Amino acid sequence: MIEAIADIRRSCGQKHGPNPFSIITGTSAGAINAAALACGADEFDLAVRRIVYVWKHFKTSQVYESDVLSVIRTGARWLSLLSLGWLLARWRRLKPRSLLDNSPLEQLLKTLVPLDRLPGLIKDGHLQALAVTASSYSSGLHVTFFQGSENLKPWIRSQRLAVHDLITHEHLLASSAIPFLFPAMPLQIDGRTEYFGDGSMRQTAPVAPAIHLGAERILVIGAGRMQYGRASGRVRV
């Protein structure tokens, strides 16, 4: 989708320059793409090419330890804890975090998403805000972490809240941490530690954060099938 947008811009004569989206939000894998795009906000086409290159050459080993030995090792540990109980975990001091080890994803993020660029891009006006959303296992709340200009204010809604914070790779890992498969990530909120998992458990289309952050026009691309209304002509997504 973003590659097509880059092609359209080039066909209109905009071969170089900043990205057309001042506010970028994402959830789960979308949080990683959003952050990668935001970190290249001063050169949209270059940021798009980097993201597309990663996806076109993507391998499971870039997300988790996929070799047979690693899968057997982590899987056997997890199954032993399920079958023998936490008594064994205490005795052997095991810490069952997840079924798979996603440490390779953390290394990929450090290369693909240079978050240290965000403050400068925001200061220079290339980006207004980046927001990623995760689900708190500790409180049950759906939390949107955002980094942006100082005039942006957090919001609170039913079972949802926003936190103005510096986005880190841990936030991206938290937003994309599929329950049971990948480990929950500890993040700080108001001086306390909460554990977070995949934000798409409650939010599949992160439109609300963009609106709260001041977006007046929103581009939404549906990844699933659309069902069309019969007589009224309305579209249900």
Side-chain angles (χ1 to χ4, degrees), residues 25-32 34 131-134 142 144 175-176 198-206 209:
T25 70
T27 300
S28 193
I32 297 175
V132 299
T133 303
H142 202 60
T144 296
S175 182
S176 57
D198 200 311
S200 65
M201 288 189 289
R202 290 188 177 180
Q203 183 189 59
T204 56

Side-chain angles (χ1 to χ4, degrees), residues 61-93:
S61 59
Q62 293 177 281
V63 178
Y64 60 88
E65 297 287 354
S66 58
D67 61 280
V68 176
L69 182 60
S70 296
V71 172
I72 291 176
R73 182 172 59 249
T74 56
R77 180 182 303 170
W78 183 266
L79 291 175
S80 66
L81 290 172
L82 288 178
S83 59
L84 300 179
W86 294 105
L87 181 61
L88 176 61
R90 291 182 180 180
W91 177 55
R92 302 180 66 177
R93 296 184 179 181

Side-chain angles (χ1 to χ4, degrees), residues 72-185:
I72 291 176
R73 182 172 59 249
T74 56
R77 180 182 303 170
W78 183 266
L79 291 175
S80 66
L81 290 172
L82 288 178
S83 59
L84 300 179
W86 294 105
L87 181 61
L88 176 61
R90 291 182 180 180
W91 177 55
R92 302 180 66 177
R93 296 184 179 181
L94 296 177
K95 295 181 179 180
R97 301 181 63 208
S98 62
L99 183 60
L100 299 175
D101 178 3
N102 67 337
S103 55
L105 177 58
E106 184 176 2
Q107 297 303 316
L108 175 64
L109 292 179
K110 291 179 180 179
T111 303
L112 178 65
V113 190
L115 291 170
D116 57 314
R117 302 195 72 230
L118 280 183
L121 293 171
I122 294 171
K123 181 180 178 181
D124 294 340
H126 295 296
L127 184 71
Q128 183 175 339
L130 166 67
V132 299
T133 303
S135 300
S136 173
Y137 295 146
S138 304
S139 66
L141 296 177
H142 202 60
V143 183
T144 296
F145 298 91
F146 69 94
Q147 182 174 346
S149 54
E150 296 181 356
N151 62 316
L152 296 175
K153 303 299 181 183
W155 60 91
I156 299 178
R157 295 293 185 271
S158 176
Q159 295 187 331
R160 295 181 290 133
L161 64 87
V163 176
H164 201 161
D165 202 354
L166 292 176
I167 301 298
T168 67
H169 294 122
E170 285 72 22
H171 289 90
L172 304 183
L173 290 170
S175 182
S176 57
I178 302 173
F180 300 111
L181 293 183
F182 299 144
M185 295 299 300

Side-chain angles (χ1 to χ4, degrees), residues 175-229:
S175 182
S176 57
I178 302 173
F180 300 111
L181 293 183
F182 299 144
M185 295 299 300
L187 298 175
Q188 292 290 318
I189 295 184
D190 296 331
R192 67 181 182 277
T193 300
E194 295 189 13
Y195 285 84
F196 288 84
D198 200 311
S200 65
M201 288 189 289
R202 290 188 177 180
Q203 183 189 59
T204 56
V207 175
I211 296 174
H212 286 297
L213 291 170
E216 297 179 352
R217 293 182 297 173
I218 299 176
L219 174 65
V220 179
I221 304 295
R225 296 180 179 179
M226 292 190 300
Q227 296 178 348
Y228 295 88

